[in-house]
Amino acid sequence: MRISPSDEFLADLERLLLDQGVAPDQARAAAVAVGVEWGGQSVYIRLRGPYLARAVAAAYDGANVGELATRFRISRAQVYKLLNKANEADRPQLEQARLPGT
């Protein structure tokens, strides 16, 4: 039996969820749900969308820019740009949390 690219994608998705600590039954259910929802369609997933900026910011530890560039298959400059975007997105919340006059 030949495995289609979509089956490979769903298997990769399930494996990725398992690697992220998602319970096996939930990882399988998520892969099945994606297959049911978008099966038979051509789906485009933007590489440099808002999810990438959040993932880079969450994984950033202050000294791992090169590692993040390799992990997310982007340049070091792009890592810095995404970190700046993430910081800009958090700024209104930080300013809102300050007390008046501080």
Side-chain angles (χ1 to χ4, degrees), residues 16-48:
L16 175 66
L17 291 170
L18 291 170
D19 290 347
Q20 295 294 320
V22 175
D25 57 332
Q26 291 176 330
R28 168 82 32 95
V32 168
V34 167
V36 168
E37 183 69 26
W38 291 291
Q41 297 180 42
S42 180
V43 178
Y44 174 76
I45 301 171
R46 254 179 70 195
L47 176 61
R48 290 180 178 85

mmCIF file of all heavy atoms in Angstrom, residues 16-48:
data_model
loop_
_atom_site.group_PDB
_atom_site.id
_atom_site.type_symbol
_atom_site.label_atom_id
_atom_site.label_comp_id
_atom_site.label_asym_id
_atom_site.label_seq_id
_atom_site.Cartn_x
_atom_site.Cartn_y
_atom_site.Cartn_z
ATOM 1 N N LEU A 16 4.390 15.048 15.779
ATOM 2 C CA LEU A 16 4.767 16.348 16.334
ATOM 3 C C LEU A 16 3.991 16.626 17.627
ATOM 4 O O LEU A 16 4.565 17.075 18.620
ATOM 5 C CB LEU A 16 4.496 17.456 15.313
ATOM 6 C CG LEU A 16 4.740 18.885 15.793
ATOM 7 C CD1 LEU A 16 6.225 19.104 16.062
ATOM 8 C CD2 LEU A 16 4.236 19.877 14.783
ATOM 9 N N LEU A 17 2.707 16.349 17.623
ATOM 10 C CA LEU A 17 1.904 16.555 18.828
ATOM 11 C C LEU A 17 2.386 15.658 19.966
ATOM 12 O O LEU A 17 2.466 16.101 21.116
ATOM 13 C CB LEU A 17 0.425 16.308 18.526
ATOM 14 C CG LEU A 17 -0.239 17.342 17.610
ATOM 15 C CD1 LEU A 17 -1.622 16.874 17.194
ATOM 16 C CD2 LEU A 17 -0.294 18.704 18.267
ATOM 17 N N LEU A 18 2.721 14.426 19.642
ATOM 18 C CA LEU A 18 3.250 13.514 20.669
ATOM 19 C C LEU A 18 4.562 14.048 21.234
ATOM 20 O O LEU A 18 4.781 14.018 22.447
ATOM 21 C CB LEU A 18 3.447 12.116 20.087
ATOM 22 C CG LEU A 18 2.172 11.347 19.749
ATOM 23 C CD1 LEU A 18 2.506 10.082 18.958
ATOM 24 C CD2 LEU A 18 1.387 11.006 21.009
ATOM 25 N N ASP A 19 5.428 14.563 20.355
ATOM 26 C CA ASP A 19 6.708 15.131 20.796
ATOM 27 C C ASP A 19 6.504 16.346 21.692
ATOM 28 O O ASP A 19 7.355 16.656 22.520
ATOM 29 C CB ASP A 19 7.573 15.523 19.596
ATOM 30 C CG ASP A 19 8.104 14.322 18.828
ATOM 31 O OD1 ASP A 19 8.020 13.189 19.351
ATOM 32 O OD2 ASP A 19 8.591 14.530 17.693
ATOM 33 N N GLN A 20 5.393 17.049 21.505
ATOM 34 C CA GLN A 20 5.090 18.229 22.314
ATOM 35 C C GLN A 20 4.408 17.865 23.635
ATOM 36 O O GLN A 20 4.047 18.739 24.407
ATOM 37 C CB GLN A 20 4.190 19.196 21.529
ATOM 38 C CG GLN A 20 4.856 19.778 20.303
ATOM 39 C CD GLN A 20 6.022 20.676 20.643
ATOM 40 O OE1 GLN A 20 5.964 21.445 21.587
ATOM 41 N NE2 GLN A 20 7.088 20.577 19.881
ATOM 42 N N GLY A 21 4.216 16.576 23.877
ATOM 43 C CA GLY A 21 3.644 16.130 25.143
ATOM 44 C C GLY A 21 2.138 15.935 25.134
ATOM 45 O O GLY A 21 1.536 15.728 26.194
ATOM 46 N N VAL A 22 1.520 15.995 23.969
ATOM 47 C CA VAL A 22 0.078 15.765 23.876
ATOM 48 C C VAL A 22 -0.182 14.273 24.051
ATOM 49 O O VAL A 22 0.581 13.432 23.552
ATOM 50 C CB VAL A 22 -0.462 16.263 22.512
ATOM 51 C CG1 VAL A 22 -1.917 15.922 22.334
ATOM 52 C CG2 VAL A 22 -0.238 17.764 22.383
ATOM 53 N N ALA A 23 -1.242 13.942 24.763
ATOM 54 C CA ALA A 23 -1.597 12.540 25.005
ATOM 55 C C ALA A 23 -1.842 11.837 23.664
ATOM 56 O O ALA A 23 -2.381 12.445 22.729
ATOM 57 C CB ALA A 23 -2.843 12.452 25.879
ATOM 58 N N PRO A 24 -1.452 10.553 23.558
ATOM 59 C CA PRO A 24 -1.594 9.838 22.283
ATOM 60 C C PRO A 24 -3.001 9.856 21.699
ATOM 61 O O PRO A 24 -3.166 10.059 20.498
ATOM 62 C CB PRO A 24 -1.161 8.410 22.622
ATOM 63 C CG PRO A 24 -0.227 8.573 23.784
ATOM 64 C CD PRO A 24 -0.763 9.743 24.556
ATOM 65 N N ASP A 25 -4.020 9.670 22.529
ATOM 66 C CA ASP A 25 -5.389 9.674 21.995
ATOM 67 C C ASP A 25 -5.793 11.060 21.495
ATOM 68 O O ASP A 25 -6.497 11.188 20.495
ATOM 69 C CB ASP A 25 -6.387 9.152 23.024
ATOM 70 C CG ASP A 25 -6.365 9.930 24.334
ATOM 71 O OD1 ASP A 25 -5.310 10.488 24.686
ATOM 72 O OD2 ASP A 25 -7.416 9.963 25.010
ATOM 73 N N GLN A 26 -5.305 12.113 22.138
ATOM 74 C CA GLN A 26 -5.607 13.476 21.687
ATOM 75 C C GLN A 26 -4.838 13.807 20.412
ATOM 76 O O GLN A 26 -5.364 14.491 19.532
ATOM 77 C CB GLN A 26 -5.276 14.493 22.778
ATOM 78 C CG GLN A 26 -6.207 14.407 23.972
ATOM 79 C CD GLN A 26 -5.803 15.358 25.078
ATOM 80 O OE1 GLN A 26 -4.616 15.660 25.230
ATOM 81 N NE2 GLN A 26 -6.766 15.819 25.843
ATOM 82 N N ALA A 27 -3.598 13.338 20.306
ATOM 83 C CA ALA A 27 -2.802 13.575 19.097
ATOM 84 C C ALA A 27 -3.452 12.894 17.900
ATOM 85 O O ALA A 27 -3.572 13.487 16.821
ATOM 86 C CB ALA A 27 -1.373 13.069 19.300
ATOM 87 N N ARG A 28 -3.900 11.672 18.095
ATOM 88 C CA ARG A 28 -4.566 10.941 17.005
ATOM 89 C C ARG A 28 -5.875 11.633 16.638
ATOM 90 O O ARG A 28 -6.190 11.803 15.461
ATOM 91 C CB ARG A 28 -4.809 9.494 17.444
ATOM 92 C CG ARG A 28 -5.717 8.649 16.583
ATOM 93 C CD ARG A 28 -5.103 8.005 15.342
ATOM 94 N NE ARG A 28 -3.743 7.628 15.414
ATOM 95 C CZ ARG A 28 -3.271 6.409 15.724
ATOM 96 N NH1 ARG A 28 -4.081 5.435 16.041
ATOM 97 N NH2 ARG A 28 -1.978 6.180 15.712
ATOM 98 N N ALA A 29 -6.642 12.064 17.640
ATOM 99 C CA ALA A 29 -7.918 12.737 17.374
ATOM 100 C C ALA A 29 -7.698 14.041 16.608
ATOM 101 O O ALA A 29 -8.478 14.376 15.706
ATOM 102 C CB ALA A 29 -8.663 13.004 18.682
ATOM 103 N N ALA A 30 -6.648 14.782 16.946
ATOM 104 C CA ALA A 30 -6.356 16.032 16.242
ATOM 105 C C ALA A 30 -5.991 15.750 14.790
ATOM 106 O O ALA A 30 -6.453 16.456 13.876
ATOM 107 C CB ALA A 30 -5.224 16.780 16.940
ATOM 108 N N ALA A 31 -5.172 14.732 14.547
ATOM 109 C CA ALA A 31 -4.787 14.387 13.176
ATOM 110 C C ALA A 31 -6.007 13.949 12.370
ATOM 111 O O ALA A 31 -6.173 14.345 11.209
ATOM 112 C CB ALA A 31 -3.718 13.292 13.185
ATOM 113 N N VAL A 32 -6.878 13.172 12.980
ATOM 114 C CA VAL A 32 -8.103 12.735 12.295
ATOM 115 C C VAL A 32 -8.991 13.941 11.994
ATOM 116 O O VAL A 32 -9.539 14.067 10.894
ATOM 117 C CB VAL A 32 -8.854 11.681 13.144
ATOM 118 C CG1 VAL A 32 -10.251 11.431 12.595
ATOM 119 C CG2 VAL A 32 -8.064 10.383 13.193
ATOM 120 N N ALA A 33 -9.133 14.854 12.953
ATOM 121 C CA ALA A 33 -9.973 16.042 12.756
ATOM 122 C C ALA A 33 -9.446 16.904 11.612
ATOM 123 O O ALA A 33 -10.233 17.414 10.809
ATOM 124 C CB ALA A 33 -10.040 16.854 14.047
ATOM 125 N N VAL A 34 -8.122 17.061 11.533
ATOM 126 C CA VAL A 34 -7.540 17.833 10.431
ATOM 127 C C VAL A 34 -7.836 17.130 9.110
ATOM 128 O O VAL A 34 -8.216 17.768 8.123
ATOM 129 C CB VAL A 34 -6.011 18.021 10.638
ATOM 130 C CG1 VAL A 34 -5.346 18.536 9.368
ATOM 131 C CG2 VAL A 34 -5.753 18.976 11.796
ATOM 132 N N GLY A 35 -7.690 15.820 9.080
ATOM 133 C CA GLY A 35 -7.966 15.063 7.862
ATOM 134 C C GLY A 35 -9.417 15.165 7.428
ATOM 135 O O GLY A 35 -9.714 15.333 6.239
ATOM 136 N N VAL A 36 -10.325 15.104 8.387
ATOM 137 C CA VAL A 36 -11.754 15.196 8.068
ATOM 138 C C VAL A 36 -12.116 16.604 7.602
ATOM 139 O O VAL A 36 -12.847 16.780 6.633
ATOM 140 C CB VAL A 36 -12.607 14.791 9.300
ATOM 141 C CG1 VAL A 36 -14.067 15.142 9.101
ATOM 142 C CG2 VAL A 36 -12.445 13.306 9.585
ATOM 143 N N GLU A 37 -11.598 17.605 8.306
ATOM 144 C CA GLU A 37 -11.944 19.001 7.993
ATOM 145 C C GLU A 37 -11.387 19.453 6.650
ATOM 146 O O GLU A 37 -12.066 20.116 5.881
ATOM 147 C CB GLU A 37 -11.420 19.920 9.100
ATOM 148 C CG GLU A 37 -11.790 21.371 8.925
ATOM 149 C CD GLU A 37 -13.276 21.661 9.109
ATOM 150 O OE1 GLU A 37 -13.947 20.905 9.830
ATOM 151 O OE2 GLU A 37 -13.758 22.648 8.507
ATOM 152 N N TRP A 38 -10.131 19.121 6.359
ATOM 153 C CA TRP A 38 -9.485 19.635 5.151
ATOM 154 C C TRP A 38 -9.092 18.545 4.151
ATOM 155 O O TRP A 38 -8.390 18.830 3.182
ATOM 156 C CB TRP A 38 -8.252 20.457 5.529
ATOM 157 C CG TRP A 38 -8.646 21.735 6.201
ATOM 158 C CD1 TRP A 38 -9.275 22.799 5.637
ATOM 159 C CD2 TRP A 38 -8.449 22.065 7.571
ATOM 160 N NE1 TRP A 38 -9.475 23.772 6.580
ATOM 161 C CE2 TRP A 38 -8.979 23.358 7.774
ATOM 162 C CE3 TRP A 38 -7.883 21.403 8.654
ATOM 163 C CZ2 TRP A 38 -8.962 23.986 9.007
ATOM 164 C CZ3 TRP A 38 -7.858 22.045 9.884
ATOM 165 C CH2 TRP A 38 -8.396 23.312 10.053
ATOM 166 N N GLY A 39 -9.531 17.333 4.357
ATOM 167 C CA GLY A 39 -9.213 16.239 3.439
ATOM 168 C C GLY A 39 -9.685 16.537 2.024
ATOM 169 O O GLY A 39 -10.788 17.041 1.814
ATOM 170 N N GLY A 40 -8.838 16.270 1.058
ATOM 171 C CA GLY A 40 -9.179 16.486 -0.345
ATOM 172 C C GLY A 40 -8.946 17.906 -0.828
ATOM 173 O O GLY A 40 -9.161 18.202 -1.992
ATOM 174 N N GLN A 41 -8.514 18.783 0.075
ATOM 175 C CA GLN A 41 -8.273 20.172 -0.292
ATOM 176 C C GLN A 41 -6.778 20.458 -0.303
ATOM 177 O O GLN A 41 -6.002 19.794 0.364
ATOM 178 C CB GLN A 41 -8.932 21.112 0.715
ATOM 179 C CG GLN A 41 -10.431 20.993 0.779
ATOM 180 C CD GLN A 41 -11.010 21.959 1.787
ATOM 181 O OE1 GLN A 41 -10.587 23.105 1.860
ATOM 182 N NE2 GLN A 41 -11.971 21.499 2.554
ATOM 183 N N SER A 42 -6.426 21.472 -1.042
ATOM 184 C CA SER A 42 -5.058 21.951 -1.022
ATOM 185 C C SER A 42 -4.999 23.083 0.004
ATOM 186 O O SER A 42 -5.696 24.081 -0.135
ATOM 187 C CB SER A 42 -4.668 22.462 -2.405
ATOM 188 O OG SER A 42 -3.354 22.918 -2.395
ATOM 189 N N VAL A 43 -4.192 22.890 1.036
ATOM 190 C CA VAL A 43 -4.124 23.860 2.122
ATOM 191 C C VAL A 43 -2.747 24.494 2.130
ATOM 192 O O VAL A 43 -1.736 23.798 2.083
ATOM 193 C CB VAL A 43 -4.392 23.176 3.486
ATOM 194 C CG1 VAL A 43 -4.277 24.168 4.622
ATOM 195 C CG2 VAL A 43 -5.763 22.514 3.481
ATOM 196 N N TYR A 44 -2.710 25.821 2.188
ATOM 197 C CA TYR A 44 -1.455 26.562 2.244
ATOM 198 C C TYR A 44 -1.223 26.996 3.682
ATOM 199 O O TYR A 44 -2.096 27.600 4.312
ATOM 200 C CB TYR A 44 -1.513 27.788 1.328
ATOM 201 C CG TYR A 44 -0.302 28.675 1.449
ATOM 202 C CD1 TYR A 44 0.903 28.307 0.855
ATOM 203 C CD2 TYR A 44 -0.347 29.861 2.155
ATOM 204 C CE1 TYR A 44 2.024 29.115 0.962
ATOM 205 C CE2 TYR A 44 0.770 30.678 2.270
ATOM 206 C CZ TYR A 44 1.952 30.290 1.674
ATOM 207 O OH TYR A 44 3.054 31.085 1.789
ATOM 208 N N ILE A 45 -0.052 26.696 4.223
ATOM 209 C CA ILE A 45 0.301 27.092 5.580
ATOM 210 C C ILE A 45 1.456 28.068 5.484
ATOM 211 O O ILE A 45 2.550 27.706 5.058
ATOM 212 C CB ILE A 45 0.694 25.868 6.438
ATOM 213 C CG1 ILE A 45 -0.463 24.883 6.495
ATOM 214 C CG2 ILE A 45 1.107 26.321 7.833
ATOM 215 C CD1 ILE A 45 -0.107 23.556 7.123
ATOM 216 N N ARG A 46 1.188 29.323 5.865
ATOM 217 C CA ARG A 46 2.220 30.358 5.822
ATOM 218 C C ARG A 46 3.325 30.042 6.804
ATOM 219 O O ARG A 46 3.075 29.751 7.962
ATOM 220 C CB ARG A 46 1.605 31.697 6.226
ATOM 221 C CG ARG A 46 1.390 32.629 5.105
ATOM 222 C CD ARG A 46 0.757 33.914 5.561
ATOM 223 N NE ARG A 46 1.694 34.697 6.357
ATOM 224 C CZ ARG A 46 1.334 35.709 7.105
ATOM 225 N NH1 ARG A 46 0.080 36.056 7.195
ATOM 226 N NH2 ARG A 46 2.231 36.380 7.775
ATOM 227 N N LEU A 47 4.568 30.133 6.347
ATOM 228 C CA LEU A 47 5.701 29.869 7.230
ATOM 229 C C LEU A 47 5.903 30.995 8.218
ATOM 230 O O LEU A 47 6.167 30.780 9.388
ATOM 231 C CB LEU A 47 6.985 29.656 6.417
ATOM 232 C CG LEU A 47 8.261 29.476 7.226
ATOM 233 C CD1 LEU A 47 8.150 28.242 8.111
ATOM 234 C CD2 LEU A 47 9.461 29.369 6.329
ATOM 235 N N ARG A 48 5.760 32.226 7.772
ATOM 236 C CA ARG A 48 6.071 33.372 8.634
ATOM 237 C C ARG A 48 4.809 34.066 9.130
ATOM 238 O O ARG A 48 4.684 35.269 9.055
ATOM 239 C CB ARG A 48 6.975 34.346 7.889
ATOM 240 C CG ARG A 48 8.359 33.763 7.712
ATOM 241 C CD ARG A 48 9.283 34.696 6.976
ATOM 242 N NE ARG A 48 10.599 34.132 6.871
ATOM 243 C CZ ARG A 48 10.981 33.290 5.922
ATOM 244 N NH1 ARG A 48 10.134 32.919 5.001
ATOM 245 N NH2 ARG A 48 12.204 32.820 5.901
#
